[in-house]
Amino acid sequence: MSASPPTARPLDLALQGGGSHGAFTWGVLDRLLEDTSIEFSAISGTSAGALNAAVLASGHGRGGREGARTALRAFWTDVSRAGAVFSPLVKVQNDLAGNAFGFGQLPGMQWMNSFIHSLSPYDFNPLNLNPLRDVLHRHVDAHALQHCGIKVFVTATQVHTGQARMFTGTELGIDALLASACLPFLYQAVVIDGEPYWDGGYTGNPALFPLIYDSGSLDLLLVRINPLRRDDTPRNSMDILDRLSEITFNASLIGEMRAINFVSRLLRDRKLDPGHYKDLRMHMVADDAHLAPLGVNSKFTTDMPFLESLFTVGRNAATAWLHQHSKDVGVRSTLDIAATFLGQAPATHNSPAT
């Protein structure tokens, strides 16, 4: 009798948002779906991360791993074909202030940027047109999403309270995905059951707590696309605003990482009951060397060659992680939280490097 194939090890995913840089995450997911030694138990996503999660789950529900890979490629191809999933004004802004020619550093371009950001979407988009809605209707299958066997959690920010709202199960639909990706300077707030919502990145990019409380897996892989550190000091108004946005969108993640690190340390020191607290095995795929130099404007670029280049970078990053750490899933962490997120010296105990 032939030996039974090894059981796939469960792995939760946490997917950051970041506009079209989410194509990097597409590449990561495409490569991970090829590896049958791991299986996804639950996915938490915000903004572009939420869209990737919903499309993956829809495709997986219809056709397993290959169905998920096919669905993700079709989605990003459609995003490119649509031209842009963002406001036309932002598209114009991106074209005029493109990094390739350095126009963004000219005083006139900085004034135009400031002028565009001074407008409200209730003024320049009174009909609340959003091409992303049609794209999502073509690629997200609510039934498949809710019955694919992978729990999906999507974060949006409640405008009135400033709190994170988690959508999952039957609550998760097109409006929830649009809410998670609703940048307030581009689109009117998405209203669900009378409550307005903005982009989930303000309160969880991505949120980790649903994976802690509502998933049985102890392994959590963060796919990070926003740089934690920049060595240059912003000097013009738009660069300052862009860096402030990055810091804001990373703040909630750093806070949750701090809490996870604290609990893990207490568990190692036997100061907490392991029967009541999870000692997570944390992992991360990222590539700041390729993503950080692209700049914020590139997050609005949806040309297919650009998306394909990010896809390739993501696949390569996932391949490198699998080569180095695949066998660590189910065994130990491969992310040193203190060194990566808290600015502390790398751990000297039997703990892996980032």
Side-chain angles (χ1 to χ4, degrees):
M1 180 181 295
S2 60
S4 300
T7 303
R9 291 159 292 165
L11 179 68
D12 287 344
L13 300 177
L15 310 180
Q16 274 199 325
S20 63
H21 289 190
F24 170 87
T25 303
W26 164 34
V28 172
L29 297 175
D30 188 78
R31 180 63 184 90
L32 294 178
L33 285 163
E34 289 181 342
D35 192 320
T36 57
S37 70
I38 56 177
E39 63 180 5
F40 305 149
S41 297
I43 307 176
S44 177
T46 296
S47 196
L51 308 186
N52 274 317
V55 173
L56 182 152
S58 294
H60 198 283
R62 293 190 299 260
R65 293 172 181 265
E66 287 304 312
R69 295 181 67 203
T70 299
L72 284 166
R73 174 162 288 280
F75 169 73
W76 283 100
T77 300
D78 200 1
V79 166
S80 177
R81 190 179 296 120
V85 298
F86 300 97
S87 164
L89 273 177
V90 176
K91 183 70 166 65
V92 171
Q93 173 197 21
N94 184 53
D95 291 341
L96 289 173
N99 292 330
F101 299 100
F103 291 164
Q105 302 305 314
L106 298 177
M109 293 302 101
Q110 294 179 35
W111 177 86
M112 180 172 289
N113 274 325
S114 299
F115 173 72
I116 289 173
H117 279 276
S118 72
L119 297 176
S120 161
Y122 295 87
D123 297 325
F124 68 73
N125 187 13
L127 298 180
N128 200 23
L129 301 177
N130 189 342
L132 181 57
R133 179 179 293 276
D134 291 336
V135 173
L136 288 175
H137 272 295
R138 290 193 289 269
H139 297 279
V140 174
D141 182 331
H143 183 270
L145 176 61
Q146 295 164 13
H147 297 86
C148 69
I150 302 172
K151 294 181 180 179
V152 176
F153 304 92
V154 167
T155 307
T157 300
Q158 293 178 319
V159 176
H160 292 164
T161 67
Q163 300 295 313
R165 165 71 189 276
M166 197 61 52
F167 293 91
T168 190
T170 57
E171 297 176 329
L172 183 53
I174 301 299
D175 282 344
L177 295 171
L178 290 172
S180 184
C182 180
L183 290 171
F185 283 107
L186 304 186
Y187 299 116
Q188 298 178 25
V190 176
V191 179
I192 301 175
D193 296 330
E195 180 75 28
Y197 294 93
W198 283 337
D199 194 291
Y202 296 107
T203 50
N205 191 26
L208 305 182
F209 66 87
L211 302 177
I212 298 173
Y213 296 115
D214 295 310
S215 173
S217 174
L218 292 177
D219 286 88
L220 194 163
L221 173 67
L222 168 67
V223 181
R224 183 173 61 78
I225 58 179
N226 294 312
L228 294 170
R229 177 183 176 88
R230 290 191 182 273
D231 292 326
D232 56 325
T233 301
R235 296 189 181 278
N236 66 57
S237 61
M238 294 313 303
D239 286 345
I240 292 170
L241 287 173
D242 289 342
R243 184 55 182 153
L244 282 173
S245 293
E246 285 182 338
I247 292 171
T248 300
F249 272 46
N250 280 328
S252 58
L253 175 63
I254 293 173
E256 287 197 277
M257 284 293 187
R258 187 183 301 275
I260 290 171
N261 186 64
F262 181 64
V263 170
S264 295
R265 190 170 70 247
L266 292 179
L267 286 168
R268 286 197 304 268
D269 295 341
R270 299 183 180 180
K271 294 180 179 179
L272 287 179
D273 181 359
H276 291 86
Y277 294 89
K278 295 173 70 173
D279 192 5
L280 292 174
R281 294 183 287 265
M282 298 296 298
H283 314 277
M284 183 176 73
V285 174
D287 191 340
D288 286 356
H290 282 92
L291 293 180
L294 294 176
V296 175
N297 279 336
S298 66
K299 292 183 178 181
F300 303 111
T301 301
T302 57
D303 297 334
M304 199 60 197
F306 178 70
L307 299 181
E308 287 279 13
S309 69
L310 290 176
F311 168 81
T312 300
V313 172
R315 271 192 62 92
N316 291 341
T319 297
W321 181 82
L322 286 168
H323 177 74
Q324 187 174 3
H325 296 304
S326 176
K327 294 182 179 179
D328 293 318
V329 176
V331 179
R332 69 183 189 119
S333 290
T334 61
L335 170 65
D336 189 329
I337 294 176
T340 304
F341 288 91
L342 309 182
Q344 300 176 13
T348 56
H349 55 75
N350 187 25
S351 177
T354 59

